[in-house]
Amino acid sequence: MSLSVIDASNFKRIVFSGANNLSNNKEYINELNVFPVPDGDTGTNMTLTVMTAVDEIKKSDGSSLYAMTKAVSNGSLRGARGNSGVILSQLFRGFYKSVKHKEAIDTSDIALAFVKASETAYKAVQNPKEGTILTVARAVSDKAVELSEKEDDIIAFSEEVLKYGEEMLFRTPEMLPVLKEAGVVDSGGQGLVEFLRGCVAALKGEDVAPLNEAPKMISAPLVKTEIHGSSRDDISTADIKFTYCTEFIVNLDRPISEEKLNNFKKYLQSIGDSLVCVADEELIKIHVHSNHPGLAFERGLTLGSLSRMKIDNMKEEHGERVMMEYHTSFKPGEKSDEKAEEKIEEKKTPPAKYGFVSIAAGAGLEELLKEIKIDYIISGGQTMNPSTDDILSAVEKINAENIYVFPNNSNIILAANQAASLVKDKNIIVVPSTSIPHCISAMITFSPDASPEENLQVMTDAMNAIKYGEVTYAVRDTSMNGKEIKSGDIMALYNKEIKEVGDNIEEVTLNLIDQMADDDCSLITVYYGEDISDSGAEMLRLKLAEKYPDYDIDVHNGGQPLYYYYISVE
């Protein structure tokens, strides 16, 4: 079997197979994240990114290679989540730029496209590191160029390119000491290799199918619930608070406790309404109305694999029905109410000078951000990285000339930057905040009379002046910084390093703060998560007040998932 060119018809199969293989292996990829924290989500982010590309392909006419590659580029660009997802979208973007004028591509075209893909991805990262997905992508492009000079058969060519990519992946621990100590290869590089494996399988006629094509039926009796259609004609779209009707099944990795199930329900209620949640020992069936269905999916992924995912835009459905009724009742020769349209135009308020978008997970944190005048809060953060499109949607909702975006997570900054590059009618300024305390500190220094550039500088200086730490738990056994860590251990992180490991949350937290505090500081702020009781937080406050009598101690109920405490010292 041989193949000399790839055209639109087989390109679609190749991408679908690659996406399926990446999705099928996402949990394994997640496990490769170096830090054993519960937000290791490289596989999830890359899967969600590539699946938006798949969705875009399904919407396109599929008549040309141009249409296919453009769909992959545009879909992944807007759906990119996390640093790994953004880099993957940039690889697709570079590939598209190289082949967009081609009707079909041969090995030489593919090699040049791989080179362009690698170059585009490298440019997207401010300080690229070797031993990452970027290294694997460049190795693939180098090998492709070498082979294209002597190999015309795309199948033989692709097998050799993949083999070299796998070899480079296995060498990533030699390039990054942190990978070597943890005994893993780079997770993003693994994700890229899994995608390419699926592509090569399709070229050989062995297309990879998605797992869970035939999910297990629910064995427990379901509660019969009447779900009203979204296109009722006695309501307007303004009455629809949450746009997307979201349904899915979580196939549980293990039986879920009553407490975890309740926390899952509380989270879904925090991002939407009309929740129906039915669970048994093997799965959970979910129905929820939300503005961010991806966040519901991502939280579900922390409990198991997903199946029967379905999203309906209720405003769109309602709007289509209203328009159908309008056109049915509209008589030829009649004019629309131009004066009414003019009145609507007059009601548009002029844009404000400044607006603010922030990412946060936790009801308490969201309330704090509202108090400091954040205009729009995207629900997400640790293990729930919003997509580029989520950030774009938030920006579109704010009527302001200059809009500051606070990612509040190092894994969201690239997606925020990507969103900023796509907005042309507003000045989007990404403030490189890596935590909620950084965002709050920056907002306190904001001056409405200063220029956008001056404010950014002052905000950045304010963020650099605070010390930030967090307390969470280990999700797997590993060894880091000379510390042996077991699954379930309590861990304290500071300056991107694991500083404390133990079995008592309060003890680990106090030891962390002891390392952060010094004579130059005067304020300790603690934000406690959903797994910490009010009484437990108060007990910690009393101990801090006794140990640091010269410090101001502030304690807030953040309500964040997964992390027991966020801590800032300044």
Side-chain angles (χ1 to χ4, degrees):
M1 182 180 179
S2 63
L3 185 69
S4 59
V5 295
I6 294 174
D7 58 17
S9 61
N10 45 24
F11 182 81
K12 179 178 180 179
R13 282 184 41 247
I14 292 166
V15 173
F16 281 21
S17 181
N20 288 338
N21 198 58
L22 174 59
S23 178
N24 293 348
N25 290 281
K26 64 179 176 291
E27 293 304 330
Y28 169 67
I29 298 166
N30 285 342
E31 289 296 318
L32 294 175
N33 283 276
V34 172
F35 279 96
V37 293
D39 56 350
D41 49 6
T42 299
T44 301
N45 283 338
M46 294 183 76
T47 295
L48 291 171
T49 298
V50 79
M51 285 308 176
T52 58
V54 167
D55 289 342
E56 202 68 21
I57 287 179
K58 291 176 180 177
K59 295 175 188 174
S60 69
D61 58 19
S63 60
S64 67
L65 187 64
Y66 167 78
M68 293 288 95
T69 55
K70 183 180 180 181
V72 171
S73 175
N74 290 352
S76 62
L77 195 70
R78 297 181 71 92
R81 296 172 186 268
N83 294 342
S84 55
V86 171
I87 292 171
L88 184 62
S89 74
Q90 290 297 312
L91 290 171
F92 289 146
R93 184 184 182 202
F95 190 97
Y96 157 70
K97 284 183 176 180
S98 181
V99 305
K100 63 181 180 180
H101 299 302
K102 306 278 186 181
E103 291 297 327
I105 52 177
D106 57 19
T107 57
S108 295
D109 296 321
I110 296 171
L112 291 175
F114 279 178
V115 170
K116 185 66 174 178
S118 176
E119 290 174 351
T120 304
Y122 265 92
K123 288 178 182 177
V125 181
Q126 189 172 7
N127 297 303
K129 288 183 179 180
E130 296 306 325
T132 65
I133 182 176
L134 294 171
T135 305
V136 177
R138 191 181 63 215
V140 164
S141 67
D142 290 346
K143 192 64 174 179
V145 170
E146 176 192 327
L147 290 172
S148 66
E149 297 174 358
K150 55 186 178 183
E151 182 60 75
D152 295 327
D153 177 24
I154 289 178
I155 296 177
F157 164 85
S158 63
E159 286 179 322
E160 286 300 311
V161 169
L162 173 60
K163 181 180 178 182
Y164 190 72
E166 291 170 337
E167 291 174 1
M168 185 56 66
L169 174 65
F170 294 142
R171 289 165 56 188
T172 55
E174 301 302 321
M175 303 177 204
L176 279 178
V178 68
L179 293 175
K180 189 172 185 178
E181 184 180 8
V184 296
V185 296
D186 178 67
S187 56
Q190 184 75 55
L192 178 58
V193 165
E194 295 299 345
F195 176 77
L196 293 176
R197 279 179 183 158
C199 294
V200 173
L203 287 170
K204 296 161 65 177
E206 302 167 357
D207 301 49
V208 177
L211 296 178
N212 302 315
E213 281 193 319
K216 293 173 286 187
M217 297 299 290
I218 296 178
S219 55
L222 293 178
V223 177
K224 185 177 179 182
T225 306
E226 183 180 0
I227 306 297
H228 295 287
S230 59
S231 57
R232 287 167 49 200
D233 40 34
D234 61 335
I235 61 172
S236 72
T237 56
D239 296 319
I240 302 175
K241 183 179 178 182
F242 297 100
T243 305
Y244 301 101
C245 176
T246 306
E247 299 178 5
F248 60 102
I249 290 174
V250 181
N251 301 291
L252 295 170
D253 291 337
R254 61 185 64 84
I256 189 171
S257 67
E258 191 74 23
E259 183 181 3
K260 274 197 171 183
L261 179 61
N262 288 335
N263 287 338
F264 182 45
K265 290 179 181 178
K266 286 178 183 177
Y267 174 74
L268 293 174
Q269 288 169 335
S270 76
I271 63 168
D273 63 9
S274 301
L275 175 65
V276 178
C277 179
V278 181
D280 66 8
E281 294 179 352
E282 297 181 346
L283 50 80
I284 309 172
K285 183 175 175 61
I286 300 297
H287 167 281
V288 65
H289 293 175
S290 173
N291 287 328
H292 300 285
L295 296 180
F297 290 158
E298 287 180 38
R299 179 53 74 93
L301 284 167
T302 65
L303 303 175
S305 62
L306 306 188
S307 61
R308 297 192 183 182
M309 293 173 284
K310 181 174 178 286
I311 303 173
D312 291 320
N313 186 322
M314 296 187 290
K315 287 186 178 180
E316 185 175 83
E317 291 178 359
H318 177 74
E320 287 174 354
R321 176 163 178 172
V322 171
M323 287 303 295
M324 182 65 73
E325 292 171 355
Y326 170 76
H327 286 299
T328 301
S329 62
F330 192 75
K331 297 177 182 178
E334 287 183 344
K335 294 183 179 180
S336 63
D337 190 350
E338 295 177 353
K339 289 184 179 180
E341 291 177 3
E342 289 173 1
K343 287 180 181 178
I344 291 173
E345 195 69 29
E346 288 173 0
K347 288 182 179 179
K348 288 183 179 178
T349 57
K353 184 177 180 180
Y354 290 112
F356 306 92
V357 172
S358 180
I359 288 89
L365 295 179
E366 291 180 8
E367 285 302 315
L368 286 170
L369 293 177
K370 289 176 185 176
E371 289 176 10
I372 59 174
K373 308 303 181 185
I374 295 293
D375 296 296
Y376 194 92
I377 300 168
I378 303 171
S379 185
Q382 308 285 19
T383 204
M384 299 171 290
N385 301 154
S387 68
T388 297
D389 202 39
D390 290 331
I391 298 170
L392 285 172
S393 297
V395 166
E396 288 171 3
K397 289 179 172 65
I398 299 177
N399 185 23
E401 297 172 356
N402 305 283
I403 300 176
Y404 292 96
V405 177
F406 295 91
N408 301 332
N409 186 301
S410 60
N411 206 34
I412 302 175
I413 292 175
L414 276 184
N417 287 335
Q418 187 152 280
S421 71
L422 298 174
V423 178
K424 305 303 179 186
D425 59 339
K426 299 174 182 178
N427 180 30
I428 309 303
I429 305 161
V430 178
V431 184
S433 58
T434 56
S435 70
I436 293 292
H438 284 117
C439 172
I440 293 173
S441 180
M443 281 298 294
I444 290 172
T445 65
F446 170 77
S447 170
D449 298 323
S451 70
E453 296 75 21
E454 289 170 339
N455 270 317
L456 178 60
Q457 184 59 58
V458 172
M459 287 175 170
T460 303
D461 291 343
M463 292 191 302
N464 291 336
I466 73 169
K467 301 175 182 180
Y468 172 70
E470 49 199 18
V471 180
T472 184
Y473 59 92
V475 294
R476 64 177 178 275
D477 297 352
T478 189
S479 175
M480 291 200 70
N481 302 330
K483 293 181 172 64
E484 290 298 322
I485 301 167
K486 300 296 182 183
S487 178
D489 281 352
I490 309 302
M491 301 185 303
L493 293 83
Y494 172 46
N495 286 340
K496 298 182 179 179
E497 291 185 7
I498 298 174
K499 295 292 187 180
E500 290 289 325
V501 178
D503 56 10
N504 182 279
I505 297 173
E506 185 179 89
E507 182 179 327
V508 168
T509 303
L510 289 170
N511 289 342
L512 171 65
I513 295 173
D514 196 44
Q515 294 184 50
M516 297 170 66
D518 58 36
D519 293 337
D520 295 328
C521 301
S522 59
L523 172 64
I524 298 173
T525 307
V526 176
Y527 306 87
Y528 61 98
E530 64 181 6
D531 293 322
I532 299 296
S533 66
D534 293 342
S535 59
E538 175 61 15
M539 183 66 70
L540 178 67
R541 188 194 69 79
L542 292 173
K543 290 187 177 182
L544 289 173
E546 181 180 1
K547 189 171 185 179
Y548 305 100
D550 296 330
Y551 280 65
D552 292 325
I553 311 295
D554 285 344
V555 176
H556 302 278
N557 184 350
Q560 69 270 13
L562 306 178
Y563 283 70
Y564 301 118
Y565 291 109
Y566 293 152
I567 300 156
S568 69
V569 178
E570 53 191 305

PDB file of all heavy atoms in Angstrom, residues 424-448:
ATOM      1  N   LYS A 424      -9.603  43.228  17.270  1.00  0.00           N
ATOM      2  CA  LYS A 424      -9.118  44.368  16.492  1.00  0.00           C
ATOM      3  C   LYS A 424      -9.757  45.701  16.898  1.00  0.00           C
ATOM      4  O   LYS A 424      -9.175  46.761  16.679  1.00  0.00           O
ATOM      5  CB  LYS A 424      -9.390  44.134  14.997  1.00  0.00           C
ATOM      6  CG  LYS A 424      -8.808  42.829  14.455  1.00  0.00           C
ATOM      7  CD  LYS A 424      -7.305  42.728  14.675  1.00  0.00           C
ATOM      8  CE  LYS A 424      -6.748  41.413  14.142  1.00  0.00           C
ATOM      9  NZ  LYS A 424      -5.315  41.234  14.476  1.00  0.00           N
ATOM     10  N   ASP A 425     -10.954  45.655  17.497  1.00  0.00           N
ATOM     11  CA  ASP A 425     -11.661  46.902  17.768  1.00  0.00           C
ATOM     12  C   ASP A 425     -11.488  47.402  19.202  1.00  0.00           C
ATOM     13  O   ASP A 425     -12.041  48.435  19.573  1.00  0.00           O
ATOM     14  CB  ASP A 425     -13.154  46.735  17.470  1.00  0.00           C
ATOM     15  CG  ASP A 425     -13.797  45.628  18.295  1.00  0.00           C
ATOM     16  OD1 ASP A 425     -13.058  44.747  18.784  1.00  0.00           O
ATOM     17  OD2 ASP A 425     -15.026  45.643  18.454  1.00  0.00           O
ATOM     18  N   LYS A 426     -10.738  46.665  20.019  1.00  0.00           N
ATOM     19  CA  LYS A 426     -10.472  47.095  21.395  1.00  0.00           C
ATOM     20  C   LYS A 426      -9.007  46.838  21.718  1.00  0.00           C
ATOM     21  O   LYS A 426      -8.377  45.957  21.125  1.00  0.00           O
ATOM     22  CB  LYS A 426     -11.367  46.330  22.387  1.00  0.00           C
ATOM     23  CG  LYS A 426     -12.860  46.531  22.182  1.00  0.00           C
ATOM     24  CD  LYS A 426     -13.666  45.619  23.105  1.00  0.00           C
ATOM     25  CE  LYS A 426     -15.170  45.783  22.853  1.00  0.00           C
ATOM     26  NZ  LYS A 426     -15.965  44.859  23.703  1.00  0.00           N
ATOM     27  N   ASN A 427      -8.496  47.580  22.677  1.00  0.00           N
ATOM     28  CA  ASN A 427      -7.123  47.376  23.126  1.00  0.00           C
ATOM     29  C   ASN A 427      -7.131  46.390  24.291  1.00  0.00           C
ATOM     30  O   ASN A 427      -7.521  46.740  25.403  1.00  0.00           O
ATOM     31  CB  ASN A 427      -6.504  48.713  23.559  1.00  0.00           C
ATOM     32  CG  ASN A 427      -5.066  48.550  24.031  1.00  0.00           C
ATOM     33  OD1 ASN A 427      -4.352  47.666  23.578  1.00  0.00           O
ATOM     34  ND2 ASN A 427      -4.647  49.412  24.945  1.00  0.00           N
ATOM     35  N   ILE A 428      -6.724  45.159  24.021  1.00  0.00           N
ATOM     36  CA  ILE A 428      -6.722  44.125  25.053  1.00  0.00           C
ATOM     37  C   ILE A 428      -5.327  44.024  25.660  1.00  0.00           C
ATOM     38  O   ILE A 428      -4.343  43.818  24.950  1.00  0.00           O
ATOM     39  CB  ILE A 428      -7.129  42.755  24.476  1.00  0.00           C
ATOM     40  CG1 ILE A 428      -8.436  42.885  23.688  1.00  0.00           C
ATOM     41  CG2 ILE A 428      -7.267  41.730  25.593  1.00  0.00           C
ATOM     42  CD1 ILE A 428      -9.591  43.447  24.475  1.00  0.00           C
ATOM     43  N   ILE A 429      -5.266  44.156  26.969  1.00  0.00           N
ATOM     44  CA  ILE A 429      -3.986  44.137  27.687  1.00  0.00           C
ATOM     45  C   ILE A 429      -3.985  42.949  28.638  1.00  0.00           C
ATOM     46  O   ILE A 429      -4.783  42.905  29.587  1.00  0.00           O
ATOM     47  CB  ILE A 429      -3.778  45.441  28.475  1.00  0.00           C
ATOM     48  CG1 ILE A 429      -3.910  46.651  27.537  1.00  0.00           C
ATOM     49  CG2 ILE A 429      -2.426  45.442  29.168  1.00  0.00           C
ATOM     50  CD1 ILE A 429      -4.173  47.949  28.257  1.00  0.00           C
ATOM     51  N   VAL A 430      -3.124  41.990  28.384  1.00  0.00           N
ATOM     52  CA  VAL A 430      -3.026  40.817  29.253  1.00  0.00           C
ATOM     53  C   VAL A 430      -2.053  41.120  30.388  1.00  0.00           C
ATOM     54  O   VAL A 430      -0.870  41.379  30.154  1.00  0.00           O
ATOM     55  CB  VAL A 430      -2.565  39.579  28.469  1.00  0.00           C
ATOM     56  CG1 VAL A 430      -2.416  38.385  29.410  1.00  0.00           C
ATOM     57  CG2 VAL A 430      -3.544  39.265  27.348  1.00  0.00           C
ATOM     58  N   VAL A 431      -2.566  41.122  31.595  1.00  0.00           N
ATOM     59  CA  VAL A 431      -1.722  41.295  32.772  1.00  0.00           C
ATOM     60  C   VAL A 431      -1.263  39.896  33.191  1.00  0.00           C
ATOM     61  O   VAL A 431      -2.101  39.047  33.497  1.00  0.00           O
ATOM     62  CB  VAL A 431      -2.490  41.968  33.925  1.00  0.00           C
ATOM     63  CG1 VAL A 431      -1.560  42.238  35.102  1.00  0.00           C
ATOM     64  CG2 VAL A 431      -3.138  43.263  33.447  1.00  0.00           C
ATOM     65  N   PRO A 432       0.038  39.616  33.209  1.00  0.00           N
ATOM     66  CA  PRO A 432       0.513  38.239  33.432  1.00  0.00           C
ATOM     67  C   PRO A 432       0.380  37.760  34.871  1.00  0.00           C
ATOM     68  O   PRO A 432       1.342  37.313  35.498  1.00  0.00           O
ATOM     69  CB  PRO A 432       1.973  38.312  32.993  1.00  0.00           C
ATOM     70  CG  PRO A 432       2.378  39.722  33.263  1.00  0.00           C
ATOM     71  CD  PRO A 432       1.153  40.554  32.969  1.00  0.00           C
ATOM     72  N   SER A 433      -0.837  37.816  35.399  1.00  0.00           N
ATOM     73  CA  SER A 433      -1.089  37.358  36.766  1.00  0.00           C
ATOM     74  C   SER A 433      -1.139  35.841  36.794  1.00  0.00           C
ATOM     75  O   SER A 433      -1.740  35.222  35.919  1.00  0.00           O
ATOM     76  CB  SER A 433      -2.409  37.938  37.288  1.00  0.00           C
ATOM     77  OG  SER A 433      -3.478  37.573  36.436  1.00  0.00           O
ATOM     78  N   THR A 434      -0.526  35.243  37.792  1.00  0.00           N
ATOM     79  CA  THR A 434      -0.516  33.781  37.908  1.00  0.00           C
ATOM     80  C   THR A 434      -1.338  33.286  39.090  1.00  0.00           C
ATOM     81  O   THR A 434      -1.354  32.087  39.367  1.00  0.00           O
ATOM     82  CB  THR A 434       0.929  33.266  38.037  1.00  0.00           C
ATOM     83  OG1 THR A 434       1.562  33.893  39.150  1.00  0.00           O
ATOM     84  CG2 THR A 434       1.728  33.570  36.773  1.00  0.00           C
ATOM     85  N   SER A 435      -2.038  34.193  39.760  1.00  0.00           N
ATOM     86  CA  SER A 435      -2.877  33.792  40.892  1.00  0.00           C
ATOM     87  C   SER A 435      -3.890  34.886  41.181  1.00  0.00           C
ATOM     88  O   SER A 435      -3.740  36.029  40.733  1.00  0.00           O
ATOM     89  CB  SER A 435      -2.025  33.547  42.144  1.00  0.00           C
ATOM     90  OG  SER A 435      -1.521  34.783  42.640  1.00  0.00           O
ATOM     91  N   ILE A 436      -4.908  34.543  41.959  1.00  0.00           N
ATOM     92  CA  ILE A 436      -5.898  35.528  42.383  1.00  0.00           C
ATOM     93  C   ILE A 436      -5.269  36.639  43.220  1.00  0.00           C
ATOM     94  O   ILE A 436      -5.563  37.823  43.012  1.00  0.00           O
ATOM     95  CB  ILE A 436      -7.047  34.843  43.159  1.00  0.00           C
ATOM     96  CG1 ILE A 436      -7.850  33.932  42.225  1.00  0.00           C
ATOM     97  CG2 ILE A 436      -7.948  35.871  43.824  1.00  0.00           C
ATOM     98  CD1 ILE A 436      -8.644  34.653  41.151  1.00  0.00           C
ATOM     99  N   PRO A 437      -4.394  36.323  44.199  1.00  0.00           N
ATOM    100  CA  PRO A 437      -3.754  37.404  44.962  1.00  0.00           C
ATOM    101  C   PRO A 437      -2.986  38.391  44.079  1.00  0.00           C
ATOM    102  O   PRO A 437      -2.970  39.595  44.356  1.00  0.00           O
ATOM    103  CB  PRO A 437      -2.803  36.648  45.902  1.00  0.00           C
ATOM    104  CG  PRO A 437      -3.480  35.336  46.125  1.00  0.00           C
ATOM    105  CD  PRO A 437      -4.084  34.997  44.788  1.00  0.00           C
ATOM    106  N   HIS A 438      -2.371  37.896  43.006  1.00  0.00           N
ATOM    107  CA  HIS A 438      -1.690  38.804  42.081  1.00  0.00           C
ATOM    108  C   HIS A 438      -2.687  39.758  41.433  1.00  0.00           C
ATOM    109  O   HIS A 438      -2.429  40.956  41.288  1.00  0.00           O
ATOM    110  CB  HIS A 438      -0.959  38.003  40.998  1.00  0.00           C
ATOM    111  CG  HIS A 438       0.301  37.362  41.468  1.00  0.00           C
ATOM    112  ND1 HIS A 438       0.477  35.996  41.488  1.00  0.00           N
ATOM    113  CD2 HIS A 438       1.460  37.884  41.942  1.00  0.00           C
ATOM    114  CE1 HIS A 438       1.680  35.706  41.954  1.00  0.00           C
ATOM    115  NE2 HIS A 438       2.300  36.832  42.239  1.00  0.00           N
ATOM    116  N   CYS A 439      -3.830  39.220  41.030  1.00  0.00           N
ATOM    117  CA  CYS A 439      -4.867  40.045  40.406  1.00  0.00           C
ATOM    118  C   CYS A 439      -5.370  41.115  41.368  1.00  0.00           C
ATOM    119  O   CYS A 439      -5.493  42.286  41.004  1.00  0.00           O
ATOM    120  CB  CYS A 439      -6.020  39.156  39.947  1.00  0.00           C
ATOM    121  SG  CYS A 439      -7.479  40.044  39.366  1.00  0.00           S
ATOM    122  N   ILE A 440      -5.663  40.722  42.598  1.00  0.00           N
ATOM    123  CA  ILE A 440      -6.173  41.671  43.596  1.00  0.00           C
ATOM    124  C   ILE A 440      -5.145  42.752  43.886  1.00  0.00           C
ATOM    125  O   ILE A 440      -5.473  43.949  43.937  1.00  0.00           O
ATOM    126  CB  ILE A 440      -6.569  40.926  44.886  1.00  0.00           C
ATOM    127  CG1 ILE A 440      -7.776  40.012  44.600  1.00  0.00           C
ATOM    128  CG2 ILE A 440      -6.879  41.899  46.016  1.00  0.00           C
ATOM    129  CD1 ILE A 440      -8.149  39.093  45.745  1.00  0.00           C
ATOM    130  N   SER A 441      -3.903  42.353  44.039  1.00  0.00           N
ATOM    131  CA  SER A 441      -2.835  43.327  44.297  1.00  0.00           C
ATOM    132  C   SER A 441      -2.701  44.311  43.145  1.00  0.00           C
ATOM    133  O   SER A 441      -2.529  45.521  43.347  1.00  0.00           O
ATOM    134  CB  SER A 441      -1.509  42.593  44.524  1.00  0.00           C
ATOM    135  OG  SER A 441      -0.478  43.506  44.780  1.00  0.00           O
ATOM    136  N   ALA A 442      -2.804  43.807  41.920  1.00  0.00           N
ATOM    137  CA  ALA A 442      -2.695  44.678  40.746  1.00  0.00           C
ATOM    138  C   ALA A 442      -3.864  45.649  40.670  1.00  0.00           C
ATOM    139  O   ALA A 442      -3.675  46.844  40.386  1.00  0.00           O
ATOM    140  CB  ALA A 442      -2.635  43.821  39.484  1.00  0.00           C
ATOM    141  N   MET A 443      -5.078  45.169  40.933  1.00  0.00           N
ATOM    142  CA  MET A 443      -6.262  46.023  40.826  1.00  0.00           C
ATOM    143  C   MET A 443      -6.263  47.135  41.868  1.00  0.00           C
ATOM    144  O   MET A 443      -6.772  48.234  41.614  1.00  0.00           O
ATOM    145  CB  MET A 443      -7.529  45.180  40.971  1.00  0.00           C
ATOM    146  CG  MET A 443      -7.916  44.424  39.710  1.00  0.00           C
ATOM    147  SD  MET A 443      -8.300  45.512  38.317  1.00  0.00           S
ATOM    148  CE  MET A 443      -9.783  46.327  38.909  1.00  0.00           C
ATOM    149  N   ILE A 444      -5.684  46.871  43.029  1.00  0.00           N
ATOM    150  CA  ILE A 444      -5.626  47.895  44.075  1.00  0.00           C
ATOM    151  C   ILE A 444      -4.805  49.097  43.623  1.00  0.00           C
ATOM    152  O   ILE A 444      -5.063  50.240  44.006  1.00  0.00           O
ATOM    153  CB  ILE A 444      -5.055  47.286  45.377  1.00  0.00           C
ATOM    154  CG1 ILE A 444      -6.078  46.317  45.987  1.00  0.00           C
ATOM    155  CG2 ILE A 444      -4.687  48.367  46.383  1.00  0.00           C
ATOM    156  CD1 ILE A 444      -5.548  45.529  47.160  1.00  0.00           C
ATOM    157  N   THR A 445      -3.826  48.848  42.747  1.00  0.00           N
ATOM    158  CA  THR A 445      -2.945  49.941  42.302  1.00  0.00           C
ATOM    159  C   THR A 445      -3.468  50.652  41.056  1.00  0.00           C
ATOM    160  O   THR A 445      -2.874  51.638  40.609  1.00  0.00           O
ATOM    161  CB  THR A 445      -1.537  49.402  41.985  1.00  0.00           C
ATOM    162  OG1 THR A 445      -1.599  48.509  40.866  1.00  0.00           O
ATOM    163  CG2 THR A 445      -0.957  48.672  43.182  1.00  0.00           C
ATOM    164  N   PHE A 446      -4.560  50.152  40.467  1.00  0.00           N
ATOM    165  CA  PHE A 446      -5.066  50.737  39.222  1.00  0.00           C
ATOM    166  C   PHE A 446      -5.513  52.188  39.421  1.00  0.00           C
ATOM    167  O   PHE A 446      -6.143  52.531  40.419  1.00  0.00           O
ATOM    168  CB  PHE A 446      -6.241  49.917  38.692  1.00  0.00           C
ATOM    169  CG  PHE A 446      -6.968  50.574  37.558  1.00  0.00           C
ATOM    170  CD1 PHE A 446      -6.423  50.568  36.279  1.00  0.00           C
ATOM    171  CD2 PHE A 446      -8.182  51.214  37.766  1.00  0.00           C
ATOM    172  CE1 PHE A 446      -7.085  51.200  35.225  1.00  0.00           C
ATOM    173  CE2 PHE A 446      -8.845  51.841  36.724  1.00  0.00           C
ATOM    174  CZ  PHE A 446      -8.297  51.827  35.453  1.00  0.00           C
ATOM    175  N   SER A 447      -5.178  53.037  38.443  1.00  0.00           N
ATOM    176  CA  SER A 447      -5.595  54.443  38.458  1.00  0.00           C
ATOM    177  C   SER A 447      -6.348  54.767  37.178  1.00  0.00           C
ATOM    178  O   SER A 447      -5.798  54.620  36.076  1.00  0.00           O
ATOM    179  CB  SER A 447      -4.381  55.369  38.570  1.00  0.00           C
ATOM    180  OG  SER A 447      -4.769  56.716  38.359  1.00  0.00           O
ATOM    181  N   PRO A 448      -7.605  55.208  37.266  1.00  0.00           N
ATOM    182  CA  PRO A 448      -8.383  55.529  36.062  1.00  0.00           C
ATOM    183  C   PRO A 448      -7.812  56.714  35.278  1.00  0.00           C
ATOM    184  O   PRO A 448      -8.143  56.902  34.103  1.00  0.00           O
ATOM    185  CB  PRO A 448      -9.778  55.846  36.613  1.00  0.00           C
ATOM    186  CG  PRO A 448      -9.557  56.226  38.040  1.00  0.00           C
ATOM    187  CD  PRO A 448      -8.392  55.413  38.502  1.00  0.00           C
TER     188      PRO A 448
END
